[in-house]
Amino acid sequence: KIYPSQANFILSKIEIEANRLQSFLEPYKIMVRDCSNFDFLDSYHIRVAVKDMRDLRVLKKALDGIIEISMV
């Protein structure tokens, strides 16, 4: 689930814990924020900052790679 945003942050609820996703994204030099210390959120909520379309493409490529790995 991706929540609506008015800024360059993407808040999302994911199916794996944030720290596990972070380990998958390290090779892409993408950092995610574990939102478990925010009120009403848990370790399955992350926040990612995306500056521009290039960053968004890198994030998409990384997430596509994770999906391919999980289907094997």
Side-chain angles (χ1 to χ4, degrees):
K1 174 176 172 95
I2 297 175
Y3 297 91
S5 175
Q6 298 295 320
N8 63 333
F9 293 107
I10 299 171
L11 176 64
S12 179
K13 183 169 184 177
I14 58 176
E15 295 182 10
I16 62 174
E17 290 196 51
N19 61 352
R20 186 160 178 230
L21 178 63
Q22 181 60 55
S23 67
F24 284 121
L25 295 177
E26 280 178 23
Y28 296 92
K29 297 183 179 168
I30 298 173
M31 298 289 297
V32 297
R33 163 94 193 244
D34 177 349
C35 294
S36 60
N37 63 340
F38 291 14
D39 289 343
F40 309 108
L41 301 181
D42 59 23
S43 62
Y44 291 88
H45 287 85
I46 60 162
R47 187 177 74 180
V48 181
V50 180
K51 292 186 221 174
D52 52 31
M53 286 302 291
R54 181 191 168 283
D55 289 345
L56 192 57
R57 281 189 216 99
V58 171
L59 177 61
K60 181 185 180 318
K61 179 180 177 183
L63 294 175
D64 287 345
I66 292 170
I67 291 169
E68 286 178 24
I69 291 170
S70 67
M71 295 186 137
V72 173

